[in-house]
Amino acid sequence: MTGVTQGTWGCAPPPGPILGQKNVKTPIPPLQAPRGGGVRGVGETAPGQGCTVPLSGRGLSGRAVHAGRCSPSPTSLPQRVRGRRRELDYISQQAPRPPRRGRGGASPGRSGAAMAAEWSVVLLTCQRGGCVSAFQRELEARRLRGGLGPRPPPLLLAVEDPWARLGSGGATLNALLVAAEHLSARAGCTVVTSDVLREARILILHMGRDFSFDDCGRAFTCLPVEEPGALAEALVCNLDSLLGTMTHRLCVGSPPGVWVCSTDMLLTVPSAPGIVWDGFQGVRVIAVPGSQMYARNHGVYLTDEQGLVHDIIYKGTEAQIRQCAGPDGAVPLVCGVVFFSSDAAEQLLATHVIPPLDACTYMGLDSGAPPIQLSLFFDIVLCMARGMTEEDFVKGGGDASARNARSVLWTALRAFPLSMACIPDASYDYMTMSASDHIRSLTLLPGSASHLRFSKTAHSHVDRPCLLEDGSSVTNCLLEGAVRLAAGSVIQHCHLQGPLEIGPGCLLSGLAVGSSPALQGCPLRDIVLQGHHVRLRDLPCRVFTLTGRLDDWQSPAEEATYLNVPWAEFFHRTGIREGDLWDAETPRRSRCLLSARLFPVLHACEALGLDDVLWLLAPAAAAGKRLACWRTAWRMSWQELLPCLDKAAELGARRALFFLQGQRKVRAVLLGHRDSSLLPLTRSAVHEGYHEAMLGTLDEVASMAGDVGIAARALACIAEVLGCMARGEGGLRSGPAANREWASAFGRLESGDIAGGVRELAAERQKWMSRPALLVRAARHYEGAEQILVRQAVMSSCQFVTVGQAELPPLGHWVQVACPARLDLSGGWSDTPPITYEHGGAVVDVAVLVDGCRPIGARVRRISEPELRLVSLGGTSRSEAVAELVCRELEHLQDYCQPHAPGALLKAAFICTQVVQFPSQKPLQAQLMESFGGGFEVHTWSKLPHGSGLGTSSILAGAVMASLYRAAGKAASTESLIHAVLHLEQRLTTGGGWQDQVGGLVPGIKIGRSKAQLPLRVEVEKILVPDSFTQTLNNHLLLVYTGKTRLARNLLQDVVRNWYARLPSTVQNADALVSNAEECAQALRQGNLLLIGKCLDRYWQQKKCMAPGCEPLAVGRMMDALRPYVYGQCLAGAGGGGFLYVLTKVPRQKEALHQILAKTEGLGNFSIHSIAVDTSGFSVEVVGCDLKDGAHPGEDMAV
């Protein structure tokens, strides 16, 4: 064995006297289970909640029931099998059956073949009176937030032990019965049948005993871990760690059966544990390698050469431990994990009706059976060890009841082989009652095999993180002000205000903000200070306990310490006497910290607080003032407090604090412009019922930020909350957002009154919260409100639009603009608002001629009539008009912001160039006559199909604005036009970025960049390529029309939503887009076609990551067919269809590629076109009245 990590043993103590009474055979009558569901209250012990039947089917009924079938009226076992011999003879006949192969995934023998174990049932056992309903809620919360694997089990059950001291074996048998009963009910059976175990995968987790350092037990001890990739943000407890280990590592590939796992240890298992399941049968124990010295106080397995367990040795001699060692000297430590095959589980379940083992289940309790304590390892597992004889095993049971129980187990299970799997590089750390050990386990990083990564601060808001020393740990806390924490100290579940100084060796837990004044100035070093929720019958109260890091709970006072000093010294310093802590009749050896009545609970005259225990640390002079108050208070020992701990209240307080610090996180992330996703926290808030608090915080941030970018993101987060509240119902998130009920709020936002708009949105929101359909519609309107603010942010770029004066062309003279198309070689999507001003963008663009011509154009002339004539031509400037619209009133322009309205782009161009003032009191005709002596006629054309991906609409907007400015006697630079088009597209409400106009309006090859700031400014750098490389590109670039049309707006909505959610994949992809654009620019400067091709391929993968679904099936086939012949290829623009551009390995391959694609099935109509870099850029010409002067060579391309 290699990679040994020391741990401690998490199993039950060695066998000793077992509590029990004389066996009384009380008949258990068969009871009918309700149809269609589990038995109500199963696993609990309240009256009327134990309705079930003795096990029927194979193993008890005397007949075999076929797998997967339940008998509607089975032959039940007699009420009580009479005669000891009959019971044992019957069980002995049930020989182990051959192993079965599991369902789902690969063969059980291939460890790691499946991604996760798929559980049928997960059960969590807890002590009697252990608040089972609170733990059931915790299990359900983990199902909701995706913490139980990709396919969560249909059954999650928190099961209460029937007896106070049931033991791990008894708890296992009771949980197995509860699981079988629920599975039987789900299968439609009216009685419990063992057949349901045949294909079931069951996980039983035992909470075990109370834990001094966490009121909710070791299972719910929080670890300093954050999981950024989790679907929902939540505290990570030891239970979550074990669920992850069992589901995704240890149990992967195992056959059907029952896994049993203790939760009293921190378990680390490598991702591929290497367990072989081929041909497995019987029972298997899991071990981890450890040292012989460590094993002296723990359990080890003694195995033979075949890996079968010979004996379990607990606290053995050096010689006994040495014989367990492997070649490297390491020994297999018992770690509290056992697997029972379905055959073995059936046989174990069969014993639940046989006295005295029936007393281990809730059915036995309901039937009046006397209590019995049963150990999983030393009563159940040990009977299968090869070195154990029946006589020795049965005699080791203590009293008669225990011996009878062992006799039944021997007969039932002895035939099953007991094998061991020792996992290399695995480790476990038993959670002892030592404060030093507990602090160490929370401050030391786990081993490399662990799937967890500890952090100094987890799920905490800390004002001054620089005051937390390395080696300290803060989990689920809110630390305000100057809180200094030394190395080797831990704070959990606390809300504290500084100034505070916490020295080394401390554990603070459960302290509310009101405790801070008492802590200020108090020397804290090597102490454990905890706040507890206690319920004394119906009276809830808060109790504080104080102990030392080095204190031992159970050692007699004469030999032990309190607050790290001998008890005698403590008595002398404080004035407390032994009689204050222990009754006179308490034996000297029983006087220990566990039983000392140290902790004030109630006082007749005053409220108690943290001061009432902190005085125990004070020097003698100060202690006298508090002694009298302490003596007159009603005090309890830790032993007396344990059964009064209110676990539900504690878990609720932790949740409340988690979401309180979560609200601080929301503010910090939004106001700090952080690229952290709030979606996991949003999901948790909705699952846990804290959505109103989340909405209130987001409302506050949106209204108080004073920054339209922050406010827009806050509104997008509100939309996510509402969408999560719909829980996948109510329709699609994308949809219309113009309901008149929201118009007033939208109007306030449009006017710049963000705070007022947010208030009105919140008021309207309350009317839409009642059902999923309304929630989804409300989410759409919040996204609509967010887009209003995005538009305002982008329109800050207007300050970079500079318009000068130019000579007014004569009436009737055309101003004509012809523009190239653009190819985006890298970086697209990073130019899209809000990504472009929140993250920063970089896009490499090329202006291109398509089949030798500039395919996009517009012309404008002044006319004598005071009207606006808007004409859309066919494919060229000489084509016939396909649509014509005349606007004579301002009202005709009011739909300029509706992209699909006739002439919307042209109407928006008149408004954005301020040729027309809208809105205005002055009529349109009056405006036109006063400023220009008449109206305007505009013609536009594009030879590119709709949704081409070549930037048509934005480039056309640039062409229209350029010609309109010139026709109106104005002049605008290319930089101004780039920013003017940004403004126009926001007014048009189509959104979009700046790469299209940069590509089509700036000649040649260039890279555009924008910084992560407002106002949004685009800067363009021309890329200087080697001589003749432009012609090389022309020879190697081809354009393939895919025949598929895409709508970029549909993709855009999803991209913007994912960006505002700051999905980690989206943020990482945005980084990659920008870096790839810079790499592509460098490859172009070098003239390296191979590197350019790699950038293109990488760019296409980035596009697919940013907008999943943008590669139609036919396009995928096309790209697969072309891949051997190209350096790289990519769909232009957003993808989804349009044009594919390819960089061929061999120049001038148009005909060759056409032949290849013609032979490829399933492509539909495609065409191939030549492209060339346009080094001149768009042209603006005043061409008089002769339209032919504006013609450009090669305009006859048809797509």
Side-chain angles (χ1 to χ4, degrees):
M1 286 176 272
T2 59
V4 178
T5 304
Q6 288 191 1
T8 52
W9 186 38
C11 306
I18 298 179
L19 297 177
Q21 300 175 5
K22 184 177 179 180
N23 182 25
V24 179
K25 298 197 173 190
T26 305
I28 303 178
L31 300 175
Q32 290 287 320
R35 295 182 181 270
V39 177
R40 183 174 64 87
V42 88
E44 300 185 14
T45 54
Q49 293 186 339
C51 300
T52 186
V53 294
L55 185 70
S56 65
R58 183 167 184 172
L60 279 181
S61 67
R63 64 185 182 87
V65 180
H66 293 291
R69 283 190 288 161
C70 302
S71 172
S73 56
T75 304
S76 60
L77 189 72
Q79 293 181 354
R80 180 67 83 186
V81 180
R82 305 188 190 283
R84 188 68 181 155
R85 185 67 260 165
R86 181 178 176 184
E87 295 166 354
L88 300 182
D89 288 345
Y90 181 78
I91 296 176
S92 65
Q93 296 169 9
Q94 310 304 310
R97 293 189 293 272
R100 306 183 184 93
R101 296 176 68 88
R103 295 181 300 176
S107 163
R110 297 186 178 274
S111 176
M115 293 300 294
E118 295 182 11
W119 302 114
S120 308
V121 193
V122 172
L123 303 100
L124 179 67
T125 71
C126 61
Q127 296 184 70
R128 182 172 172 80
C131 204
V132 66
S133 59
F135 296 139
Q136 182 69 42
R137 184 189 190 282
E138 291 297 314
L139 289 177
E140 294 295 342
R142 280 154 178 80
R143 186 210 301 272
L144 286 173
R145 61 180 182 239
L148 294 170
R151 295 183 182 178
L155 287 172
L156 293 174
L157 303 171
V159 181
E160 188 176 57
D161 292 346
W163 308 105
R165 295 183 180 274
L166 186 63
S168 57
T172 299
L173 183 56
N174 184 60
L176 184 58
L177 170 62
V178 171
E181 186 171 15
H182 277 78
L183 288 172
S184 298
R186 288 179 68 88
C189 302
T190 57
V191 296
V192 178
T193 170
S194 64
D195 286 346
V196 295
L197 299 182
R198 293 189 179 183
E199 296 299 326
R201 288 177 166 84
I202 298 172
L203 174 61
I204 299 173
L205 297 153
H206 291 314
M207 287 190 62
R209 304 178 185 86
D210 294 311
F211 189 44
S212 301
F213 309 113
D214 196 293
D215 290 358
C216 299
R218 293 172 173 88
F220 290 96
T221 296
C222 287
L223 306 178
V225 171
E226 291 187 354
E227 297 178 306
L231 290 174
E233 186 171 333
L235 298 175
V236 178
C237 304
N238 187 34
L239 175 67
D240 301 298
S241 173
L242 289 170
L243 279 169
T245 296
M246 301 295 286
T247 302
H248 297 284
R249 297 192 172 201
L250 192 58
C251 306
V252 172
S254 64
V258 179
W259 283 90
V260 184
C261 178
S262 168
T263 63
D264 58 8
M265 78 288 196
L266 301 172
L267 182 64
T268 297
V269 174
S271 56
I275 304 176
V276 178
W277 294 102
D278 289 325
F280 174 79
Q281 58 180 327
V283 178
R284 175 166 284 167
V285 292
I286 304 300
V288 301
S291 71
Q292 295 184 39
M293 180 176 295
Y294 189 79
R296 292 176 185 174
N297 293 312
H298 302 281
V300 292
Y301 294 113
L302 176 63
T303 60
D304 60 19
E305 294 179 353
Q306 286 74 41
L308 296 177
V309 176
H310 187 79
D311 198 2
I312 303 175
I313 299 171
Y314 182 72
K315 291 187 176 181
T317 64
E318 289 188 26
Q320 288 175 315
I321 294 172
R322 194 180 306 115
Q323 66 178 335
C324 301
D328 60 355
V331 294
L333 299 171
V334 179
C335 74
V337 181
V338 185
F339 174 71
F340 293 86
S341 68
S342 56
D343 296 322
E346 287 183 39
Q347 288 299 105
L348 177 61
L349 179 61
T351 66
H352 88 278
V353 294
I354 302 174
L357 292 177
D358 58 343
C360 293
T361 69
Y362 78 91
M363 289 176 60
L365 173 70
D366 291 350
S367 302
I372 186 174
Q373 189 176 43
L374 198 66
S375 164
L376 173 62
F377 284 87
F378 292 102
D379 290 320
I380 295 178
V381 173
L382 187 61
C383 73
M384 293 172 278
R386 296 298 94 185
M388 187 62 59
T389 66
E390 180 175 8
E391 182 180 1
D392 290 341
F393 177 70
V394 173
K395 285 183 178 179
D399 63 12
S401 178
R403 290 194 295 273
N404 288 339
R406 284 189 162 209
S407 180
V408 173
L409 290 169
W410 179 275
T411 305
L413 300 176
R414 179 62 184 178
F416 291 100
L418 177 64
S419 60
M420 181 197 73
C422 189
I423 312 298
D425 299 321
S427 67
Y428 86 114
D429 189 359
Y430 179 66
M431 302 171 74
T432 70
M433 297 293 281
S434 162
S436 296
D437 289 347
H438 186 59
I439 292 172
R440 175 189 54 80
S441 69
L442 296 177
T443 53
L444 290 182
L445 296 178
S448 59
S450 175
H451 62 286
L452 300 176
R453 293 293 177 264
F454 282 13
S455 56
K456 186 190 300 184
T457 58
H459 303 294
S460 298
H461 175 85
V462 181
D463 281 352
R464 305 275 295 277
C466 60
L467 299 180
L468 307 181
E469 294 184 8
D470 291 340
S472 61
S473 175
V474 177
T475 304
N476 194 36
C477 289
L478 191 54
L479 304 184
E480 301 171 326
V483 178
R484 186 179 298 276
L485 184 64
S489 285
V490 175
I491 307 180
Q492 293 194 332
H493 317 302
C494 291
H495 182 182
L496 301 175
Q497 290 178 338
L500 293 177
E501 184 157 350
I502 300 163
C506 293
L507 171 64
L508 274 63
S509 177
L511 303 180
V513 65
S515 303
S516 300
L519 290 172
Q520 291 169 3
C522 181
L524 299 180
R525 184 185 183 95
D526 293 324
I527 60 100
V528 177
L529 180 59
Q530 302 177 86
H532 309 274
H533 291 270
V534 171
R535 180 169 290 274
L536 306 172
R537 298 202 176 181
D538 294 327
L539 176 66
C541 58
R542 291 279 284 161
V543 175
F544 299 95
T545 59
L546 178 68
T547 57
R549 178 176 64 86
L550 305 176
D551 296 343
D552 185 283
W553 287 94
Q554 293 179 300
S555 295
E558 291 90 345
E559 305 168 10
T561 63
Y562 177 57
L563 296 178
N564 307 310
V565 298
W567 279 97
E569 181 179 332
F570 170 75
F571 291 147
H572 176 75
R573 177 170 55 81
T574 60
I576 293 175
R577 299 185 294 265
E578 282 195 52
D580 295 323
L581 304 180
W582 299 285
D583 297 331
E585 59 271 17
T586 303
R588 302 293 300 177
R589 301 295 295 177
S590 299
R591 297 186 180 189
C592 59
L593 176 56
L594 191 64
S595 61
R597 294 191 183 96
L598 279 162
F599 311 118
V601 177
L602 294 172
H603 196 281
C605 302
E606 58 184 89
L608 299 176
L610 191 57
D611 285 324
D612 294 286
V613 293
L614 285 177
W615 77 273
L616 300 174
L617 293 169
K625 303 176 182 179
R626 305 291 307 185
L627 179 58
C629 178
W630 179 86
R631 278 204 172 114
T632 55
W634 179 39
R635 289 169 280 108
M636 297 176 74
S637 66
W638 179 243
Q639 187 172 260
E640 293 167 332
L641 280 172
L642 278 174
C644 302
L645 295 176
D646 191 338
K647 297 177 175 62
E650 176 61 28
L651 291 168
R654 293 180 186 183
R655 272 194 304 275
L657 182 56
F658 173 79
F659 286 108
L660 182 61
Q661 66 83 25
Q663 290 172 257
R664 300 293 182 92
K665 175 181 178 178
V666 169
R667 295 188 186 96
V669 166
L670 296 181
L671 297 176
H673 301 277
R674 298 180 189 172
D675 286 336
S676 300
S677 178
L678 295 176
L679 184 55
L681 181 61
T682 295
R683 292 192 183 108
S684 282
V686 171
H687 295 158
E688 301 281 2
Y690 282 83
H691 51 274
E692 287 293 349
M694 177 74 85
L695 289 170
T697 300
L698 292 168
D699 286 337
E700 177 189 339
V701 171
S703 59
M704 303 294 290
D707 180 307
V708 290
I710 293 173
R713 185 178 175 188
L715 295 183
C717 290
I718 293 175
E720 287 291 357
V721 175
L722 299 174
C724 288
M725 290 175 66
R727 299 182 186 274
E729 301 177 5
L732 298 175
R733 281 286 303 275
S734 297
N739 189 291
R740 284 178 290 181
E741 299 295 324
W742 299 82
S744 176
F746 282 14
R748 284 188 176 271
L749 295 177
E750 294 277 13
S751 69
D753 181 8
I754 295 178
V758 170
R759 283 195 301 272
E760 288 203 21
L761 286 171
E764 184 62 32
R765 180 179 73 218
Q766 294 303 315
K767 307 172 188 175
W768 298 66
M769 304 279 278
S770 59
R771 62 182 190 272
L774 293 180
L775 285 164
V776 169
R777 291 166 63 191
R780 293 172 184 168
H781 283 81
Y782 263 94
E783 288 186 343
E786 151 227 308
Q787 285 302 313
I788 293 173
L789 298 186
V790 170
R791 289 200 293 274
Q792 292 179 359
V794 174
M795 286 192 287
S796 65
S797 64
C798 288
Q799 61 188 274
F800 304 114
V801 178
T802 304
V803 179
Q805 293 299 314
E807 182 182 355
L808 188 68
L811 192 71
H813 282 236
W814 290 99
V815 176
Q816 182 161 298
V817 174
C819 294
R822 71 97 185 90
L823 287 185
D824 55 316
L825 299 188
S826 287
W829 284 122
S830 72
D831 67 304
T832 304
I835 301 173
T836 189
Y837 62 76
E838 292 186 346
H839 175 274
V843 182
V844 174
D845 275 324
V846 183
V848 294
L849 305 176
V850 181
D851 288 337
C853 73
R854 293 176 182 147
I856 303 163
R859 59 172 175 249
V860 180
R861 68 174 176 179
R862 288 192 300 119
I863 57 178
S864 57
E865 295 84 357
E867 62 188 21
L868 306 178
R869 296 178 190 168
L870 314 179
V871 181
S872 176
L873 303 180
T876 72
S877 61
R878 292 174 294 180
S879 301
E880 296 294 326
V882 296
E884 187 170 350
L885 183 67
V886 178
C887 301
R888 297 186 177 91
E889 308 290 341
L890 281 178
E891 289 75 12
H892 297 161
L893 302 180
Q894 65 184 3
D895 59 355
Y896 76 95
C897 57
Q898 299 175 23
H900 300 293
L905 186 148
L906 303 183
K907 295 173 185 178
F910 276 102
I911 293 170
C912 292
T913 56
Q914 298 185 343
V915 171
V916 173
Q917 302 297 320
F918 182 90
S920 173
Q921 297 297 318
K922 186 177 292 187
L924 175 61
Q925 293 185 358
Q927 290 187 42
L928 293 174
M929 291 303 296
E930 183 178 310
S931 300
F932 304 104
F936 290 88
E937 182 176 354
V938 182
H939 293 185
T940 60
W941 62 90
S942 170
K943 288 178 285 186
L944 301 174
H946 178 69
S948 68
L950 300 181
T952 306
S953 59
S954 298
I955 296 172
L956 182 61
V960 171
M961 296 185 85
S963 56
L964 193 53
Y965 274 132
R966 185 70 185 84
K970 301 177 182 180
S973 65
T974 302
E975 180 186 11
S976 294
L977 284 174
I978 291 170
H979 292 91
V981 172
L982 266 175
H983 176 216
L984 179 146
E985 292 190 326
Q986 294 305 316
R987 296 291 294 270
L988 190 60
T989 71
T990 54
W994 45 256
Q995 64 151 312
D996 295 345
Q997 56 265 38
V998 168
L1001 300 180
V1002 180
I1005 308 170
K1006 58 272 176 180
I1007 180 169
R1009 298 183 181 92
S1010 62
K1011 296 178 180 177
Q1013 63 184 37
L1014 289 174
L1016 173 59
R1017 182 170 192 172
V1018 183
E1019 298 176 317
V1020 182
E1021 174 194 345
K1022 291 188 177 181
I1023 297 175
L1024 301 178
V1025 299
D1027 294 341
S1028 75
F1029 182 70
T1030 298
Q1031 185 57 45
T1032 301
L1033 271 183
N1034 294 343
N1035 294 337
H1036 287 264
L1037 277 173
L1038 284 173
L1039 204 58
V1040 182
Y1041 183 59
T1042 64
K1044 302 293 181 183
T1045 301
R1046 65 105 184 100
L1047 185 59
R1049 183 171 176 80
N1050 292 346
L1051 297 175
L1052 177 64
Q1053 288 176 326
D1054 291 336
V1055 170
V1056 171
R1057 187 178 298 130
N1058 291 342
W1059 171 255
Y1060 269 134
R1062 289 306 194 275
L1063 298 183
S1065 59
T1066 302
V1067 175
Q1068 293 165 11
N1069 201 43
D1071 294 338
L1073 283 165
V1074 172
S1075 62
N1076 191 54
E1078 298 294 348
E1079 289 182 34
C1080 185
Q1082 188 60 29
L1084 285 162
R1085 294 185 189 101
Q1086 297 170 3
N1088 190 323
L1089 288 178
L1090 179 61
L1091 289 181
I1092 295 170
K1094 289 181 178 179
C1095 289
L1096 296 186
D1097 284 341
R1098 194 181 305 129
Y1099 182 32
W1100 179 232
Q1101 298 306 316
Q1102 292 164 353
K1103 283 186 178 182
K1104 290 195 291 185
C1105 177
M1106 191 64 84
C1110 67
E1111 181 182 274
L1113 184 61
V1115 172
R1117 292 196 191 102
M1118 184 178 289
M1119 297 179 82
D1120 289 342
L1122 296 177
R1123 189 163 287 112
Y1125 309 98
V1126 300
Y1127 286 121
Q1129 55 188 329
C1130 185
L1131 276 179
F1139 280 97
L1140 170 73
Y1141 57 90
V1142 298
L1143 186 66
T1144 62
K1145 295 178 179 178
V1146 178
R1148 294 177 291 277
Q1149 290 292 293
K1150 182 176 179 180
E1151 293 303 324
L1153 294 192
H1154 192 280
Q1155 293 177 14
I1156 293 167
L1157 294 180
K1159 297 176 183 177
T1160 305
E1161 296 182 358
L1163 298 188
N1165 296 324
F1166 70 90
S1167 55
I1168 302 180
H1169 307 272
S1170 63
I1171 50 177
V1173 178
D1174 185 351
T1175 57
S1176 301
F1178 78 100
S1179 61
V1180 181
E1181 302 173 279
V1182 179
V1183 296
C1185 299
D1186 187 356
L1187 298 183
K1188 292 183 181 180
D1189 293 345
H1192 193 281
E1195 287 187 334
D1196 295 329
M1197 186 265 295
V1199 178

